Amino acid sequence: MLGLMQDWPMTVDRIIDHAATWHGTVPLVERAVDGFRSAGWADVRSRARRLSGALLAAGIRPGDRVATMAWNGIAHIEAWFGIMGIGAVCHTLNPRLFADQIVWIVNHAADRILIVDATLYPVIAPLRARMPTLERILVIAADTGALPDGTTDYDAFVADGDNGAAWGQFDENSACGLCYTSGTTGNPKGVLYSHRSNYLHTLMTLQADIMGLSSRDVVLPIVPMFHANAWGLVFSAPAVGAQMVLPGPRLDGASVAELIERHGVTFSAAVPTVWLALLQYLKASGRRPDTLRRVAIGGSACPAAIIRDFNDLYGVEVVHLWGMTETSPVGSCGAMTPALAALPHAEQLPWRLKQGRPALGIDMRLVADDGTALPHDGRTVGHLLVRGPAVVRAYLNDPTPILDEDGWFDTGDIATIDGQGFMQITDRAKDVIKSGGEWISSIEIENIVVGHPQVAVAAVIGIPHPKWDERPLLIVQPIPGRTPAAADLLAHLDGRIARWWMPDRAVFLSAIPLGATGKIDKKALRAMAETGAFDEVQADFTASQNNSGPS
Amino acid sequence: MLGLMQDWPMTVDRIIDHAATWHGTVPLVERAVDGFRSAGWADVRSRARRLSGALLAAGIRPGDRVATMAWNGIAHIEAWFGIMGIGAVCHTLNPRLFADQIVWIVNHAADRILIVDATLYPVIAPLRARMPTLERILVIAADTGALPDGTTDYDAFVADGDNGAAWGQFDENSACGLCYTSGTTGNPKGVLYSHRSNYLHTLMTLQADIMGLSSRDVVLPIVPMFHANAWGLVFSAPAVGAQMVLPGPRLDGASVAELIERHGVTFSAAVPTVWLALLQYLKASGRRPDTLRRVAIGGSACPAAIIRDFNDLYGVEVVHLWGMTETSPVGSCGAMTPALAALPHAEQLPWRLKQGRPALGIDMRLVADDGTALPHDGRTVGHLLVRGPAVVRAYLNDPTPILDEDGWFDTGDIATIDGQGFMQITDRAKDVIKSGGEWISSIEIENIVVGHPQVAVAAVIGIPHPKWDERPLLIVQPIPGRTPAAADLLAHLDGRIARWWMPDRAVFLSAIPLGATGKIDKKALRAMAETGAFDEVQADFTASQNNSGPS
């Protein structure tokens, strides 16, 4: 017996329709190359529909891929809804990827049209001949300079579009967005979102214990739209009729502080490095982000100093998120329980540093190597599995099964879950260091070393060891101008980790290699270790402390 | 091209699974007949699964109807999830309905089992012979007295259940819950909710601009579970892991105040009459609801005094909701825009009195008699239509089409929508008074008259008039012991409504008839008018003020 409720497909065109109808004059403000510009949600929808009409006229059909390579701006948001509204697939390209990766991805996705910021066109220009599926390139804000050869002005393309194109009214399981994971091993993998998954992810993240946005919020998404959908904010802000402030390419501390002040930002989202820069700027300048109430932090573990400074200096709550491209991306959030919320902020910190609990709409479990469930005791380390309507089922054009028989997806993260349900990532499975049959958490060591005043970035990798299988190597990028002694770093770690977790050696690099999403590239570090790059470098720890195995 | 995200049916068993896994020890507290008892979300799930096993053993299969007639209590919540978890349909019965309506509804639904509170069994006992589909009656808390003949003890039934019964894993469009509308005209109509509609309604109402519950809330649902699903709180509280306080049958001001104080209630939901009684008690006793932050009010328009008193005296925000059984039930909410939120509370009142804006997940439009769209100008009155995944498509076993060709459902409400998107109900279509070709809002007049200090309840109905078609009749139930003069009421209205809206007569009743959900029964009032019941009663307005038509 089926229920008798309406068949109302959850397609994302309904999100922008809702914003235009009920919050039509609520503004989006963008810092463009040539100054600030703004539009209301009704304007965004109107131009998105014109783009839809123009794409249809250009032969784009449901399921066809249209790529974007753009910073967070109004035209980029229009483009998303214009592409998705007719059932085409919006493929966000990360301009920070290596050229070969961009070419590989565009060809793998068979993108037919690319919409690109004029300032990013130089990334694309030298690659065009290698991307034969691209029939057309639309350049945003081309009026700030000459239109490159063989491209079309985006605004002119939109202006020619019919604004009466039919929107939505297709299966909610239709493909909607495409984002490739940065792929630290093997080729990049395409995650193909559906309208249903994006719509549900929007509702999931709107819960009070995740982002809890309201129509009174002014939302500044610093996390780029090409980085896991800007954590869904391009959908969740119009869903509630929030204002948006779009930063364009300038994400430094001073620029972000100016946006917050000038536009009354209440909520923002970014990776830790952005917040470190903002806090540094605020402290140095004495400016205060008075309107800011909450900042979402994800992408990598959030250092304690960020959480503490935001709270103690500015009264801003940090919303600590965990997720991945494959989870749309939000998977869990460190919202406090009633008991924790009653503690002083400093005493809440151990839980605020964890990645938190899943909200309704995502299932999560911790398992041993053999798949058996592990206890939620805060100590037992295991593989983190997830399941849900906004979790990937398979990668694009890749027959490899990625779910187990019960539908669980292995995140590749290693974690604990404590008695209050707080999950904490201790490592990536591929980065975990196996020493004497036990696991050493590289992330835990890194987080402590980064707390040393002379350290900018720290990485710990496992290097082969004849007796212990692997042993940790500490790689440190000092703050410019500082020269920390390895012995100091060791002393800094002493007593904070088990003695057998102690790295046997420390090496110093002026720049630790980062991947396209700003995360430490451990694959590159391991390659450097394998080729002997660290062999001749400083190694002044007193050689293995006779504590190199688990006690 | 379909997306590659997981097929994860949205079934409500996943809501209680989530609560049990991540918020398992968070308590529900119930005021039972014999004192307070409590359980955690994990206990609720565990007993719900046993009930599922017992229902399966009793031959209940997916789609079969199992009815409940119970106050808001822990066993009732268990019963919902135990019934729904195996794909059976939970049919909530309102004990306040007339006996004939109960019989009609149970037979129409073909309920196979009834789960009933011992204190409500006397409602059922005399009707059993007329409800032949009922194979079995399970009595909750039968241990407080002798088990009635031919009934089964609910606890014993649950205790015998197998707790390993398979849950969920069926089509999300499966029927899940059944609730009959009170049916002021014709027979009651059955609204058959699906798992999908209940799951989505849960996410919709969790938005910050609707209920915005978090894991730090203590939720007191005063609105009964048989009244439009207690506005979804039985799903939304476990969805976020909130505590629940369940009031049982005692809903008077002192009892509610005691629950708030004793259990630290932060959020509650009820119809206006409950809040009037609570505020009256609080003012008289000098007690304060210190933990309470927000109260949701719906079911009928909220008087200004409630909103003002809650804010001014106790710092409690009123969440003004509109909806109906057919919308699962929440349709709109009076959350403030940024501009309104910046005003002093007293200046926000005109908008707080409106029924507000729809949140993502419900479409709303205003149309003329001929179906053409009407402007959002705050003045133009029209029919309110809704559409969405939690809106009814058809009534149970009733072939009458109820949607127009674009899928819109006519709510039967007459409303305006203003330039900021705030909807305001001005009448029920069947209660609207048509005078001289224009519409008079009975609700607007009633709201003003109720503001008179000597008036308890006011109703305005249209009575036939040879020249003007209809003219308004004012029917007043004075506060006990008071005898307001009709001329005073007229003076109270003067200047607040158009002169041609002025009722020609006022009559006084010691008790205005109410329907089973506590709303004024205008059908009964019109019947009284037709049979001449008001003809001989006081009629001291100076006969028609020569203003009886629109100017």
Side-chain angles (χ1 to χ4, degrees):
Chain A
M1 181 183 230
L2 298 183
L4 290 170
M5 307 306 278
Q6 294 190 6
D7 179 22
W8 189 96
M10 293 183 285
T11 54
V12 303
D13 52 288
R14 295 188 186 272
I15 295 177
I16 193 77
D17 283 356
H18 175 83
T21 305
W22 302 102
H23 311 277
T25 60
V26 170
L28 299 83
V29 179
E30 169 188 354
R31 190 207 298 269
V33 189
D34 52 348
F36 286 93
R37 55 183 289 257
S38 75
W41 283 116
D43 302 324
V44 169
R45 177 181 182 279
S46 161
R47 284 181 45 97
R49 288 203 71 160
R50 279 197 185 279
L51 173 60
S52 288
L55 289 171
L56 286 170
I60 294 296
R61 293 291 169 264
D64 286 351
R65 272 75 66 207
V66 176
T68 65
M69 182 183 279
W71 302 111
N72 292 1
I74 296 172
H76 199 182
I77 293 181
E78 288 166 16
W80 274 32
F81 286 105
I83 296 165
M84 297 172 183
I86 54 169
V89 178
C90 177
H91 174 200
T92 48
L93 281 170
N94 183 345
R96 296 169 183 150
L97 292 176
F98 296 114
D100 284 351
Q101 287 178 306
I102 293 173
V103 168
W104 191 93
I105 286 174
V106 168
N107 286 326
H108 187 261
D111 297 324
R112 292 186 57 193
I113 289 183
L114 168 66
I115 299 173
V116 61
D117 271 347
T119 53
L120 292 172
Y121 184 73
V123 175
I124 292 299
L127 312 177
R128 285 195 66 169
R130 298 166 60 197
M131 303 188 293
T133 64
L134 274 189
E135 298 161 22
R136 196 154 189 165
I137 294 183
L138 309 177
V139 178
I140 299 173
D143 55 335
T144 59
L147 193 65
D149 278 351
T151 66
T152 304
D153 181 71
Y154 169 81
D155 283 334
F157 185 80
V158 169
D160 285 347
D162 172 7
N163 69 357
W167 259 28
Q169 305 299 328
F170 39 73
D171 184 340
E172 68 187 27
N173 291 302
S174 300
C176 176
L178 175 62
C179 185
Y180 282 75
T181 58
S182 40
T184 46
T185 54
N187 283 322
K189 295 176 174 68
V191 178
L192 190 64
Y193 304 107
S194 66
H195 282 263
R196 174 182 165 104
S197 70
N198 278 342
Y199 196 101
L200 283 175
H201 181 265
T202 303
L203 286 172
M204 284 160 52
T205 59
L206 287 176
Q207 293 178 71
D209 281 337
I210 306 282
M211 298 197 198
L213 299 182
S214 83
S215 60
R216 290 163 303 289
D217 274 309
V218 181
V219 176
L220 168 65
I222 300 176
V223 53
M225 289 163 70
F226 52 75
H227 179 200
N229 293 326
W231 305 349
L233 290 168
V234 176
F235 300 118
S236 53
V240 300
Q243 293 181 49
M244 283 194 107
V245 179
L246 298 157
R250 288 169 50 188
L251 309 180
D252 60 285
S255 299
V256 169
E258 187 199 358
L259 288 180
I260 294 170
E261 254 183 44
R262 183 181 169 125
H263 299 293
V265 169
T266 62
F267 180 91
S268 184
V271 295
T273 47
V274 167
W275 298 124
L276 283 170
L278 175 68
L279 287 167
Q280 208 163 14
Y281 172 80
L282 291 174
K283 285 191 262 188
S285 67
R287 296 170 89 152
R288 297 183 61 85
D290 286 327
T291 55
L292 198 60
R293 288 202 304 261
R294 283 166 302 136
V295 294
I297 301 189
S300 55
C302 182
I306 291 183
I307 299 177
R308 199 162 33 215
D309 281 357
F310 265 125
N311 179 76
D312 296 355
L313 304 180
Y314 307 111
V316 172
E317 181 173 19
V318 169
V319 178
H320 193 184
L321 300 174
W322 167 84
M324 54 202 310
T325 304
E326 287 89 338
T327 61
S328 293
V330 179
S332 67
C333 177
M336 296 291 97
T337 64
L340 293 173
L343 297 176
H345 191 269
E347 292 174 36
Q348 296 171 4
L349 256 186
W351 285 272
R352 289 192 175 273
L353 286 169
K354 299 191 180 196
Q355 278 73 19
R357 296 182 291 179
L360 186 72
I362 188 156
D363 297 337
M364 188 177 272
R365 71 195 298 244
L366 195 68
V367 298
D369 285 340
D370 66 1
T372 55
L374 292 174
H376 291 192
D377 60 11
R379 289 175 287 108
T380 308
V381 169
H383 301 275
L384 186 70
L385 311 187
V386 292
R387 199 171 63 175
V391 175
V392 72
R393 168 176 98 224
Y395 293 111
L396 181 63
N397 296 332
D398 184 339
T400 317
I402 57 171
L403 306 186
D404 70 18
E405 63 263 39
D406 296 318
W408 293 95
F409 171 73
D410 187 336
T411 63
D413 278 325
I414 301 298
T416 58
I417 299 178
D418 69 23
Q420 302 192 72
F422 281 64
M423 183 272 287
Q424 184 162 31
I425 305 286
T426 61
D427 236 321
R428 289 290 297 167
K430 60 183 169 43
D431 294 336
V432 86
I433 299 161
K434 287 180 186 145
S435 187
E438 299 279 342
W439 290 355
I440 294 174
S441 163
S442 62
I443 292 177
E444 197 167 330
I445 303 174
E446 290 159 6
N447 285 347
I448 297 169
V449 174
V450 161
H452 188 280
Q454 303 195 358
V455 172
V457 186
V460 175
I461 60 170
I463 49 170
H465 187 281
K467 179 173 175 191
W468 302 113
D469 194 11
E470 286 189 324
R471 289 295 302 152
L473 169 70
L474 173 62
I475 304 159
V476 167
Q477 174 183 325
I479 284 175
R482 305 300 175 85
T483 51
D488 284 351
L489 300 180
L490 201 63
H492 185 74
L493 279 168
D494 194 30
R496 292 176 168 168
I497 54 173
R499 287 199 61 82
W500 63 274
W501 282 28
M502 280 287 188
D504 292 337
R505 296 171 58 218
V507 297
F508 294 90
L509 288 182
S510 58
I512 286 182
L514 302 179
T517 57
K519 294 182 194 177
I520 294 168
D521 187 349
K522 292 199 176 176
K523 194 174 146 199
L525 289 174
R526 277 190 289 264
M528 289 169 74
E530 273 169 35
T531 55
F534 300 137
D535 292 354
E536 300 307 310
V537 200
Q538 176 182 3
D540 67 354
F541 284 175
T542 51
S544 36
Q545 291 99 31
N546 296 326
N547 286 301
S548 305
S551 54
Chain B
M1 179 182 229
L2 297 184
L4 291 171
M5 306 307 277
Q6 294 191 5
D7 179 22
W8 189 96
M10 293 182 286
T11 54
V12 302
D13 52 288
R14 296 189 186 272
I15 295 178
I16 192 77
D17 284 355
H18 175 83
T21 305
W22 302 102
H23 311 277
T25 60
V26 170
L28 299 83
V29 179
E30 170 187 354
R31 189 209 298 270
V33 190
D34 52 349
F36 285 92
R37 54 182 290 256
S38 74
W41 283 116
D43 303 325
V44 169
R45 177 181 183 277
S46 160
R47 284 183 44 99
R49 287 204 72 159
R50 280 197 183 278
L51 173 60
S52 288
L55 290 171
L56 286 170
I60 295 295
R61 293 291 170 265
D64 286 352
R65 271 76 65 207
V66 176
T68 65
M69 181 183 279
W71 302 111
N72 292 1
I74 295 172
H76 198 182
I77 293 181
E78 288 166 16
W80 274 32
F81 286 105
I83 296 165
M84 298 171 183
I86 54 169
V89 178
C90 178
H91 174 199
T92 48
L93 282 170
N94 183 346
R96 296 168 183 152
L97 292 176
F98 297 114
D100 284 351
Q101 287 179 307
I102 293 173
V103 169
W104 191 93
I105 285 174
V106 168
N107 287 325
H108 187 262
D111 296 324
R112 292 186 57 192
I113 289 183
L114 168 66
I115 299 173
V116 60
D117 271 348
T119 53
L120 291 172
Y121 184 71
V123 174
I124 291 300
L127 312 177
R128 286 196 65 169
R130 298 166 60 195
M131 304 188 292
T133 64
L134 273 189
E135 298 161 23
R136 196 156 189 166
I137 294 184
L138 309 177
V139 178
I140 298 172
D143 56 334
T144 58
L147 194 64
D149 279 352
T151 67
T152 304
D153 181 72
Y154 169 81
D155 282 335
F157 184 80
V158 169
D160 285 347
D162 172 8
N163 68 358
W167 258 28
Q169 307 299 327
F170 40 73
D171 185 339
E172 69 187 25
N173 291 303
S174 301
C176 175
L178 176 62
C179 185
Y180 283 75
T181 58
S182 41
T184 47
T185 54
N187 283 321
K189 296 175 174 69
V191 177
L192 190 65
Y193 303 108
S194 66
H195 281 263
R196 174 181 165 104
S197 70
N198 278 342
Y199 195 100
L200 283 175
H201 181 265
T202 303
L203 287 172
M204 283 159 54
T205 59
L206 287 176
Q207 294 177 70
D209 281 336
I210 306 282
M211 299 197 197
L213 299 181
S214 83
S215 59
R216 290 164 303 289
D217 273 309
V218 181
V219 176
L220 168 64
I222 301 176
V223 53
M225 289 163 68
F226 52 75
H227 178 200
N229 294 326
W231 306 349
L233 291 168
V234 176
F235 300 117
S236 52
V240 299
Q243 294 182 49
M244 281 194 109
V245 178
L246 298 156
R250 288 169 52 188
L251 309 180
D252 58 285
S255 299
V256 170
E258 186 198 358
L259 288 179
I260 294 171
E261 254 182 45
R262 183 180 169 127
H263 300 293
V265 170
T266 62
F267 180 91
S268 185
V271 294
T273 47
V274 167
W275 298 125
L276 284 170
L278 174 68
L279 287 167
Q280 208 164 13
Y281 172 80
L282 291 173
K283 286 190 260 187
S285 66
R287 295 170 90 152
R288 297 183 61 85
D290 286 329
T291 54
L292 198 60
R293 287 202 305 260
R294 282 166 302 137
V295 295
I297 301 189
S300 55
C302 182
I306 291 182
I307 299 177
R308 196 160 37 213
D309 282 357
F310 265 126
N311 179 75
D312 296 356
L313 304 179
Y314 307 112
V316 172
E317 180 172 21
V318 168
V319 178
H320 193 183
L321 300 174
W322 168 85
M324 53 202 309
T325 303
E326 287 89 338
T327 61
S328 293
V330 178
S332 67
C333 178
M336 295 292 97
T337 64
L340 292 173
L343 297 176
H345 190 269
E347 292 174 36
Q348 296 172 4
L349 256 187
W351 286 273
R352 290 192 175 272
L353 286 169
K354 299 191 180 196
Q355 278 73 20
R357 296 182 290 181
L360 186 72
I362 189 156
D363 297 336
M364 188 176 274
R365 71 195 300 242
L366 195 67
V367 298
D369 285 339
D370 65 2
T372 55
L374 292 174
H376 292 193
D377 59 12
R379 290 174 287 107
T380 308
V381 169
H383 300 276
L384 186 69
L385 310 187
V386 292
R387 199 172 62 176
V391 174
V392 71
R393 167 176 99 223
Y395 294 110
L396 180 63
N397 296 331
D398 185 340
T400 317
I402 57 172
L403 305 186
D404 70 17
E405 63 263 40
D406 296 318
W408 293 96
F409 171 74
D410 187 336
T411 63
D413 277 326
I414 301 298
T416 58
I417 298 178
D418 70 23
Q420 303 192 69
F422 282 63
M423 184 272 287
Q424 184 163 32
I425 305 284
T426 61
D427 235 322
R428 290 289 297 165
K430 61 185 166 42
D431 293 337
V432 86
I433 299 161
K434 286 178 186 146
S435 188
E438 299 279 343
W439 289 356
I440 294 174
S441 163
S442 62
I443 292 177
E444 196 167 332
I445 304 175
E446 289 160 7
N447 285 347
I448 297 169
V449 174
V450 161
H452 188 282
Q454 303 196 355
V455 172
V457 185
V460 175
I461 59 170
I463 49 170
H465 187 281
K467 180 174 174 191
W468 301 113
D469 194 13
E470 287 188 323
R471 289 295 304 150
L473 169 71
L474 173 63
I475 305 161
V476 166
Q477 175 183 323
I479 286 174
R482 304 299 175 87
T483 51
D488 283 352
L489 301 181
L490 200 64
H492 185 73
L493 280 168
D494 194 30
R496 293 178 167 166
I497 54 173
R499 287 198 61 81
W500 62 274
W501 281 30
M502 279 286 185
D504 293 336
R505 297 172 58 219
V507 297
F508 295 91
L509 287 182
S510 57
I512 285 182
L514 302 179
T517 55
K519 294 182 194 177
I520 294 167
D521 187 349
K522 292 199 176 176
K523 195 175 146 199
L525 289 175
R526 277 190 288 264
M528 289 168 75
E530 273 169 37
T531 56
F534 300 137
D535 292 353
E536 299 308 311
V537 199
Q538 177 182 358
D540 67 353
F541 285 175
T542 50
S544 34
Q545 290 100 30
N546 298 324
N547 288 300
S548 306
S551 55

